[in-house]
Amino acid sequence: MKHPLDRTDIDNAWCPGCGNFAILKLLKEVLTELELDPKNTVIVSGIGQAAKTPYYIGTHMFCGLHGRALPVSAALKLSNPALTVIAEGGDGDMYGEGGNHFLHTIRRNPDIVHIVHNNMVYGLTKGQASPTSQKGFKTPVQVKGVNNEPFNPVSVALALKAGFVSRVNIGNYTHAKSVLKEAFLHKGYALVDVFQPCVVFNKVNTYKWFKENTAEIEDSHDSSNLLSAMQKALENAPVPIGIFYQTMQSTFEENLRGDDTRALYSLSHDIDKLQLLFGAY
């Protein structure tokens, strides 16, 4: 069944059965149900299979360099605070090439939703280990198995006191949808790490594996307690999914522009004042 946000002028390059399809469906449904205007929505991505997501949805998009979606997203939100800005990509793009930007975007706290398709492998380049690949995972490159400690984006985000930190399993669709909605309603940076299988290059972390190795965070969990959230983030048998932590703090754009929410393109510039400013330096 077609969705109003479907694009019909482009072919989809994902493999049949890929978890990206469900994440795309989830995103379209959430944007629609929250009545977010696609004309005021921008999805920013880098490189990778997950980074193709904005090609397949009827919003504005920007596809840039590998790992660079987050600084572009922050700049967009700063230049026009009225926009809904989404940064989207895979675990290699966001936590590998974009690892530095991941850290510093959290520190700045722009009001953006950060969706990471986490399949624990580089799918676009045919199956190398990614930052989140588990120890022992064998690939055509890591033939004896990965021996590095896997990157834990949730615990890193918590260590930097990100305003909204969550993880979901796309195989648990209803739960994932409720969490993603909360991320969009949060004011400030919101991380949604999405477990999703790569059906071609990761034969270990399958739909079945994610179902058997994840568990929803208990209702009794206090998501305002940072220490409790960090303890939860370090659990791995099973891996918790849900909202680990949420707190409100001033955003990047508020800190730099105060209450001025006008789009920069709508402003005129006083050339004389600019010349005086330049002259002062």
Side-chain angles (χ1 to χ4, degrees), residues 60-185:
H60 295 291
M61 64 166 285
F62 183 97
C63 186
L65 299 175
H66 209 345
R68 304 297 185 264
L70 285 172
V72 175
S73 299
L76 277 170
K77 190 66 182 180
L78 179 65
S79 64
N80 189 352
L83 293 174
T84 297
V85 180
I86 304 158
E88 189 150 1
D91 45 299
D93 188 43
M94 292 295 186
Y95 303 143
E97 281 80 0
N100 176 54
H101 297 302
F102 177 57
L103 301 180
H104 296 288
T105 300
I106 292 173
R107 293 177 54 239
R108 297 184 179 107
N109 193 39
D111 184 18
I112 65 173
V113 177
H114 185 195
I115 301 172
V116 184
H117 302 216
N118 186 355
N119 57 16
M120 305 178 181
V121 74
Y122 279 94
L124 183 71
T125 48
K126 303 186 184 306
Q128 300 92 339
S130 82
T132 57
S133 295
Q134 303 296 293
K135 278 189 173 181
F137 179 65
K138 293 182 180 179
T139 79
V141 176
Q142 291 82 18
V143 294
K144 295 183 179 179
V146 172
N147 53 25
N148 295 327
E149 189 67 27
F151 183 75
N152 184 334
V154 171
S155 63
V156 171
L158 290 169
L160 292 167
K161 300 180 182 178
F164 185 98
V165 183
S166 69
R167 176 195 287 133
V168 299
N169 168 22
I170 196 58
N172 188 343
Y173 192 84
T174 301
H175 176 257
K177 190 173 186 177
S178 67
V179 172
L180 185 59
K181 277 188 174 179
E182 291 300 319
F184 273 96
L185 295 172

Side-chain angles (χ1 to χ4, degrees), residues 182-196:
E182 291 300 319
F184 273 96
L185 295 172
H186 176 78
K187 183 181 178 183
Y189 171 85
L191 171 66
V192 186
D193 183 72
V194 187
F195 281 157
Q196 55 111 177

Side-chain angles (χ1 to χ4, degrees), residues 205-225:
N205 307 112
T206 61
Y207 286 105
K208 182 174 183 290
W209 187 93
F210 283 123
K211 181 178 181 180
E212 294 176 347
N213 289 277
T214 61
E216 294 180 23
I217 294 174
E218 307 84 2
D219 291 339
S220 58
H221 172 64
D222 180 5
S223 61
S224 67
N225 187 320

Side-chain angles (χ1 to χ4, degrees), residues 3-76:
H3 189 277
L5 291 177
D6 282 346
R7 286 190 60 186
T8 57
D9 57 343
I10 188 168
D11 292 330
N12 192 302
W14 292 334
C15 305
C18 177
N20 287 336
F21 285 104
I23 299 175
L24 175 64
K25 178 175 182 288
L26 179 71
L27 178 60
K28 288 188 289 190
E29 289 182 357
V30 168
L31 290 175
T32 301
E33 291 175 19
L34 292 179
E35 299 181 344
L36 295 170
D37 185 352
K39 293 180 181 177
N40 287 323
T41 301
V42 187
I43 306 178
V44 184
S45 68
I47 299 296
Q49 292 292 2
K52 295 175 181 174
T53 300
Y55 302 168
Y56 309 136
I57 186 168
T59 65
H60 295 291
M61 64 166 285
F62 183 97
C63 186
L65 299 175
H66 209 345
R68 304 297 185 264
L70 285 172
V72 175
S73 299
L76 277 170

